[in-house]
Amino acid sequence: MSTGQIILGITLFAVAGAILYAWGLKKSLDQREDLQRSLMSACGSRVVKHLKKHGSVTKAEVAALVDGLTVGPFWSRHKVRVQDGKKVAGQVIEFLLDQQYIEPAGGGSYRLKK
């Protein structure tokens, strides 16, 4: 091996290390938003599943459905859990309304959008 090949190998190794470091740093900075998005998605899925069986749901029922729900990547120990369903229920309803999954049905209840 020549000196040029050794220098090239060391340089490529350093570049690969820098790329992996930058990727990990970006993932750690975006982790909070990713977990929040995953939590809203999981809560929304649970509410939509309930709506398919029962037809309508109120804010109190949404709070009971999402209370205690835990999400997070299976490879990570970082998880997010719904501690108080009453506080999250409004956010879940707003999320589902924004995504056009549900619509108001009157009397404080919601149904699947047709």
Side-chain angles (χ1 to χ4, degrees):
M1 275 197 188
S2 70
T3 306
Q5 288 176 333
I6 293 173
I7 292 174
L8 181 64
I10 291 172
T11 304
L12 290 176
F13 184 76
V15 168
I19 290 171
L20 288 174
Y21 175 75
W23 177 68
L25 186 62
K26 183 184 180 312
K27 274 196 82 76
S28 69
L29 292 175
D30 293 341
Q31 183 179 25
R32 185 178 181 100
E33 293 83 20
D34 290 342
L35 288 173
Q36 182 72 17
R37 194 171 27 254
S38 294
L39 182 66
M40 282 296 122
S41 179
C43 290
S45 295
R46 190 173 278 189
V47 171
V48 168
K49 189 177 191 181
H50 176 80
L51 283 170
K52 287 180 180 178
K53 291 181 181 178
H54 296 93
S56 66
V57 67
T58 63
K59 188 174 180 178
E61 291 172 333
V62 170
L65 285 169
V66 301
D67 195 31
L69 183 67
T70 304
V71 297
F74 69 89
W75 65 85
S76 174
R77 62 186 166 151
H78 298 288
K79 308 276 186 211
V80 176
R81 181 172 187 217
V82 176
Q83 297 287 333
D84 187 10
K86 294 176 185 175
K87 291 181 181 177
V88 179
Q91 294 175 353
V92 172
I93 290 171
E94 286 298 319
F95 172 75
L96 290 172
L97 287 170
D98 288 343
Q99 297 295 317
Q100 298 181 352
Y101 283 115
I102 63 173
E103 62 186 6
S109 63
Y110 301 90
R111 64 175 178 226
L112 284 175
K113 193 162 187 165
K114 297 176 185 177

